[in-house]
Amino acid sequence: MSTKILYIEDNYYNIVLVKKILESNGFEFYEARNGLEGVEKAKEIKPDLILMDINLPELSGFEVTTKIKSIKYLKNVKIIAVTADVNSETREKAIAAGCDGYIPKPIDNNFVNKVKEFLAGKKEKLSSENYEIKVLKKYSEDLVNKLEKKVRELTKANSELESAYKSIQAVNKRLLLLNKMEENFVSISSHELRTPLVVIKGFIDLALDNSFGELNPKLRNALSMCQKNIDKLMHIVDDITDFAKLRDSNINVVVSEVDIFNFIEELIKEYVPIFESRNLNYQIEIECSSKKAYFDKNFLFQAMQNLITNAIKYTPDGGSITVGAKENSDEIIFFVKDTGIGIEEEYLEKIFNKFFVISDSSHYFSGEYEFLAGGKGLGLSIVKNIAKIHNGKAWAESKGRNKGSIFYISVNKNFKTNIEKKMTLSEDKKYILSIDFPECSEYLKSDMYEVVNVDYNRFVDNIDSFRIPQILFLDISDKNFDNVVIFLKSLKESEKFMSVPIVVIDKDSNIVNKSNLFSIGIEEYISRPIQSEVLHEIVKSFL
Ligand code: ADP
């Protein structure tokens, strides 16, 4: 077996030189470029001899030597210091640290002979025992100083890390809060906007039907424009509502067995008049081994409608649109292909982000289905969310500007089984936490709820030990109001409870309490006496 020599050295040229000399003399050569790597290599290969550069960065050669000699099965490995530093203190220090000898640099013709001498058993000693104590003392002092410096550096780095972590946490909390606010805003505003729009639209429709008397042509023209724009606005509000709905994790998904061909035919039928008026060719392409698939037909219909509407919007007259389905082992993939304006690669993913549109105002035309009529950037994020609830994906391909695009939405083939599993899971009881409101379990006595009653102090003292409930009730009767405010603020700012709906129960209705608490972000406020139906309605609305 050949003799293994490990050279721990940070200088590349020295390594090349020593490797050449040792290998040409039949030694098996290994290298490590720093102290820690050297220790690991030594453990791994168990060399017969280690050549140790003393001036290594980070851990010095002295320290690496002490470390290696402290490892039981490496205790007898010969370690020879190799350094250009020829002063006697360095030599003595190397031997005190555990080196068996010392070879000065530069590496010359005699190098191999010196290595062989050490392999044959040569061992250098310190010049005197007194001297040994002095050198060891100096060596330990140096080590302690180095250690102290490292501890200081680490403590500083640690406190910097801690403060960075704290600011990230604060930003994170803020982001979560903003996200929640945005979600609430989107769902409330879309709901609030739709109601007046329906009323306005109703009156305009009636007026155009001459329900309020014959209209003069100018007024009819103006009202027709209003009608068109109200329709557009309702479309946008519907998109926002759908978008908000799809983000809700409790969304109701209805799976059924759907005939793929009928589904696509039904879809296309709606668009035939537009295809014809825009002189667009259209075809259906289905390559699926099975005729049926399982998915939520309404949601997928909506997703495909968005894709076809886009294809129509972004394809010039005379172009062609293909709607179809194919499959791979896991998924049914629906697609809409057009010969339209195409998409540059950098936008292929971004267009699925909410409110993202490729802004090029020169492309904006008015009209819902005209070529290049711009939109609001929600259509594709709705498609993405619909894919997500089917455990699938949505993506686009295009070879670039004016080269057409293909949009895909996939549905996982096991979606039906997954959803069935999820439904059995969601039948698990809903967890409701009630603080100082023990009657809660009486009101909500049912198999659907698990109501846990706790007293205020126990909750405040052990807040982290409670699992996240679907609703939290808090009775504030006879509590110090300032403390209640502080407590609720801390809940609304805590990562764990910030999205839990909080229902406050009060002794009797107090307008000041109420408005202050709503401004903190509580979801509901009810005063005694409590009506069971009201409580049930509230619970239902949050679950
Ligand atoms: P919009 O309502 O603006 O169409 P979408 O979310 O549906 O919103 O689409 C986002 C953007 O993706 C569009 O503004 C458009 O730039 C691009 N896009 C979508 N579909 C196509 C398509 N078939 N061809 C070219 N670009 C498209």
Side-chain angles (χ1 to χ4, degrees):
M1 225 171 56
S2 56
T3 308
K4 293 183 200 167
I5 297 186
L6 168 65
Y7 186 21
I8 306 178
E9 163 71 88
D10 63 330
N11 182 309
Y12 171 75
Y13 297 104
N14 284 342
I15 292 182
V16 173
L17 176 64
V18 171
K19 181 174 175 13
K20 204 164 170 210
I21 295 174
L22 292 178
E23 284 184 344
S24 64
N25 279 278
F27 292 107
E28 210 174 302
F29 180 83
Y30 296 89
E31 65 185 61
R33 303 293 289 270
N34 61 54
L36 285 179
E37 191 188 322
V39 175
E40 291 311 312
K41 261 281 166 52
K43 282 188 196 164
E44 181 192 324
I45 59 169
K46 299 188 195 75
D48 299 287
L49 182 139
I50 297 173
L51 294 167
M52 180 73 69
D53 174 27
I54 289 302
N55 296 316
L56 290 170
E58 299 292 333
L59 278 183
S60 75
F62 303 123
E63 289 145 7
V64 180
T65 302
T66 307
K67 173 69 198 163
I68 293 176
K69 287 281 181 177
S70 74
I71 299 168
K72 224 171 173 185
Y73 59 89
L74 295 176
K75 201 172 70 198
N76 296 323
V77 173
K78 294 176 198 325
I79 303 183
I80 313 303
V82 182
T83 174
D85 184 356
V86 285
N87 89 48
S88 64
E89 196 184 313
T90 309
R91 178 188 173 278
E92 298 293 316
K93 204 170 154 189
I95 292 168
C99 286
D100 295 88
Y102 182 90
I103 302 181
K105 280 183 191 168
I107 312 293
D108 56 19
N109 293 341
N110 213 5
F111 179 73
V112 181
N113 293 335
K114 287 181 187 156
V115 169
K116 284 181 180 162
E117 277 172 22
F118 284 112
L119 279 168
K122 177 176 171 186
K123 189 168 166 66
E124 289 181 17
K125 289 215 166 58
L126 285 169
S127 33
S128 84
E129 277 194 21
N130 286 348
Y131 196 59
E132 179 174 3
I133 294 168
K134 210 175 123 203
V135 172
L136 277 176
K137 192 164 165 267
K138 174 83 177 57
Y139 180 53
S140 336
E141 275 169 12
D142 287 351
L143 272 182
V144 171
N145 286 339
K146 194 165 174 184
L147 192 65
E148 189 192 338
K149 196 171 153 233
K150 276 278 164 242
V151 170
R152 279 186 204 288
E153 281 170 14
L154 281 176
T155 316
K156 191 166 165 250
N158 201 28
S159 78
E160 280 168 8
L161 256 182
E162 241 171 56
S163 75
Y165 177 69
K166 274 194 189 133
S167 27
I168 288 174
Q169 257 189 333
V171 172
N172 206 17
K173 258 188 200 167
R174 182 106 194 101
L175 282 177
L176 282 170
L177 194 69
L178 284 175
N179 200 29
K180 182 88 193 136
M181 279 163 65
E182 187 237 31
E183 270 179 30
N184 288 346
F185 174 76
V186 168
S187 57
I188 292 168
S189 57
S190 57
H191 182 256
E192 296 296 315
L193 283 173
R194 205 170 201 292
T195 319
L197 278 179
V198 171
V199 178
I200 299 171
K201 183 177 159 47
F203 277 112
I204 292 176
D205 288 350
L206 283 174
L208 284 170
D209 279 350
N210 293 334
S211 303
F212 307 120
E214 193 70 33
L215 299 177
N216 72 47
K218 274 190 181 161
L219 186 56
R220 171 167 296 280
N221 203 7
L223 281 178
S224 299
M225 271 165 63
C226 287
Q227 188 189 42
K228 221 172 152 192
N229 279 291
I230 291 282
D231 283 345
K232 258 181 151 184
L233 206 53
M234 284 184 70
H235 228 88
I236 297 170
V237 173
D238 284 347
D239 266 3
I240 298 176
T241 315
D242 290 338
F243 175 71
K245 196 166 70 187
L246 284 162
R247 286 198 304 195
D248 185 347
S249 53
N250 290 322
I251 187 168
N252 190 19
V253 183
V254 182
V255 198
S256 61
E257 188 187 66
V258 185
D259 182 297
I260 299 171
F261 185 82
N262 289 347
F263 173 75
I264 292 182
E265 222 186 14
E266 200 182 318
L267 193 62
I268 291 272
K269 222 192 285 164
E270 269 191 30
Y271 292 94
V272 171
I274 302 159
F275 288 144
E276 284 172 354
S277 74
R278 291 274 320 280
N279 197 19
L280 294 164
N281 302 311
Y282 62 93
Q283 48 275 327
I284 295 179
E285 246 177 50
I286 298 178
E287 287 170 26
C288 293
S289 58
S290 97
K291 278 181 141 189
K292 317 255 182 196
Y294 290 92
F295 50 83
D296 185 310
K297 193 177 163 193
N298 289 337
F299 275 137
L300 218 76
F301 209 86
Q302 185 185 358
M304 290 298 278
Q305 278 177 323
N306 286 357
L307 297 181
I308 297 175
T309 312
N310 277 351
I312 295 171
K313 279 200 282 190
Y314 300 105
T315 304
D317 292 2
S320 75
I321 292 174
T322 310
V323 180
K326 54 186 185 175
E327 68 182 332
N328 61 30
S329 54
D330 303 322
E331 300 162 309
I332 304 283
I333 303 163
F334 293 89
F335 63 88
V336 177
K337 182 163 120 188
D338 65 52
T339 56
I341 60 165
I343 302 158
E344 270 142 32
E345 200 182 340
E346 59 175 309
Y347 296 123
L348 283 173
E349 274 185 35
K350 290 188 189 143
I351 50 175
F352 287 91
N353 294 342
K354 60 185 172 186
F355 302 116
F356 187 89
V357 293
I358 302 173
S359 57
D360 186 344
S361 51
S362 64
H363 288 132
Y364 275 64
F365 270 55
S366 59
E368 184 62 21
Y369 296 112
E370 286 168 45
F371 172 48
L372 287 176
K376 317 297 160 288
L378 271 179
L380 289 179
S381 61
I382 290 176
V383 173
K384 187 170 82 178
N385 284 344
I386 291 179
K388 230 196 227 162
I389 59 173
H390 285 89
N391 298 346
K393 303 183 287 292
W395 72 101
E397 287 170 3
S398 171
K399 295 216 160 69
R401 268 275 164 211
N402 296 324
K403 303 235 167 84
S405 330
I406 316 181
F407 283 80
Y408 300 94
I409 172 166
S410 71
V411 171
N412 192 298
K413 282 185 180 167
N414 293 323
F415 175 62
K416 184 173 169 250
T417 341
N418 292 346
I419 200 97
E420 276 163 359
K421 264 193 222 147
K422 196 174 155 208
M423 273 156 71
T424 32
L425 278 182
S426 67
E427 275 160 18
D428 282 352
K429 289 183 183 173
K430 306 283 182 200
Y431 169 53
I432 294 171
L433 199 56
S434 106
I435 302 172
D436 285 348
F437 178 46
E439 309 96 292
C440 188
S441 27
E442 289 305 310
Y443 288 119
L444 299 177
K445 205 183 248 168
S446 123
D447 291 343
M448 280 172 66
Y449 309 118
E450 179 196 348
V451 184
V452 173
N453 292 305
V454 270
D455 68 53
Y456 182 71
N457 291 331
R458 197 179 130 220
F459 183 77
V460 174
D461 289 344
N462 301 300
I463 186 160
D464 285 331
S465 65
F466 288 92
R467 71 188 155 104
I468 305 173
Q470 262 96 19
I471 305 177
L472 189 145
F473 283 97
L474 169 70
D475 191 333
I476 63 164
S477 325
D478 303 322
K479 288 193 172 64
N480 174 314
F481 190 68
D482 288 343
N483 288 347
V484 166
V485 168
I486 293 170
F487 170 66
L488 286 171
K489 273 190 184 158
S490 74
L491 281 185
K492 283 292 173 192
E493 279 169 11
S494 85
E495 218 164 289
K496 190 167 173 186
F497 290 94
M498 77 174 9
S499 11
V500 175
I502 298 180
V503 181
V504 168
I505 321 285
D506 209 349
K507 198 159 47 176
D508 38 40
S509 186
N510 174 334
I511 193 92
V512 180
N513 281 2
K514 195 169 170 173
S515 55
N516 276 340
L517 296 174
F518 274 114
S519 70
I520 296 173
I522 68 153
E523 274 69 13
E524 277 296 344
Y525 174 99
I526 37 182
S527 55
R528 293 180 193 278
I530 290 165
Q531 289 165 328
S532 169
E533 308 79 62
V534 173
L535 198 81
H536 272 110
E537 273 312 306
I538 289 175
V539 170
K540 246 198 299 178
S541 72
F542 288 126
L543 293 182

